[in-house]
């Protein structure tokens, strides 16, 4: 299936926080937990997100069949360095949702 655009990716990421809130009984403190360096109100904000010096989507890995190597896709699947899999302690995104994000990165992050 052709990759869908940014609105669908935002929907998946926003959904992850809604599911986290339902499971944990409080809003996730995204700003504080990531020192203000994780945002996705716009595609550009996601592209510039760099929590703890780990750029989420390294530009040289966009549209190059290398989405699985990006920090975003890696940390949605497993621990990265000293950081646990995200969203922290789950619930995690489904494999299908993670693949949708990876396909979108491989497609060049279309609007
Ligand atoms: C390089 C990428 C990322 C790094 C290094 C990172 C790191 C961290 C750290 C250090 C914490 C606080 C400690 C903990 O609860 O484990 C945290 C919390 C959290 N992160 Fe991430 N994170 C990343 C990406 C993401 C993404 C993409 C999401 C959502 C899709 C996410 C969702 C969360 C949530 C929900 C929490 C818990 C917040 C709370 O307790 O209120 N993180 N993250």
């Amino acid at each position: 299936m052709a990759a869908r655009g940014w609105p669908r990716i935002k929907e998946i990421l926003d959904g992850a926080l809604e599911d986290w809130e339902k499971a944990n009984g409080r809003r996730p403190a995204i700003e504080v937990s990531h020192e203000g360096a994780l945002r996705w109100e716009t595609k550009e904000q996601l592209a510039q997100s760099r929590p703890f010096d780990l750029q989420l989507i390294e530009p040289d890995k966009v549209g190059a069949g290398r989405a699985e190597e990006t920090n975003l896709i890696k940390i949605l699947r497993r621990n990265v360095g000293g950081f646990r899999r995200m969203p922290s302690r789950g619930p995690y995104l489904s494999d299908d949702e993670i693949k949708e994000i990876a396909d979108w990165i491989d497609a060049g992050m279309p609007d």
Side-chain angles (χ1 to χ4, degrees):
M1 192 183 88
R4 295 162 72 184
W6 166 245
R8 171 59 184 154
I9 302 308
K10 184 173 187 304
E11 177 181 70
I12 293 172
L13 293 171
D14 289 345
L17 300 191
E18 282 163 28
D19 289 349
W20 196 94
E21 178 173 0
K22 279 181 205 141
N24 291 279
R26 64 172 174 87
R27 292 290 298 163
I30 293 299
E31 286 277 319
V32 171
S33 299
H34 304 92
E35 302 182 334
L38 174 63
R39 290 199 182 89
W40 61 73
E41 211 44 55
T42 65
K43 177 178 91 166
E44 288 72 23
Q45 285 180 349
L46 181 70
Q48 286 157 17
S49 287
R50 196 183 175 86
F52 305 98
D53 264 350
L54 289 174
Q55 182 152 25
L56 279 190
I57 307 175
E58 306 90 318
D60 60 322
K61 293 172 185 163
V62 175
R66 299 178 66 189
E68 291 293 337
E69 299 171 34
T70 62
N71 286 316
L72 176 59
I73 297 301
K74 286 199 285 193
I75 206 157
L76 293 175
R77 291 199 189 281
R78 64 186 113 91
N79 300 351
V80 171
F83 300 104
R84 61 170 58 94
R85 185 179 180 188
M86 291 286 140
S88 185
R89 297 186 172 86
Y92 305 113
L93 291 176
S94 69
D95 288 345
D96 284 350
E97 289 169 323
I98 298 171
K99 184 167 187 307
E100 274 192 71
I101 301 173
D103 287 348
W104 175 73
I105 294 170
D106 282 337
M109 300 172 66
D111 295 343

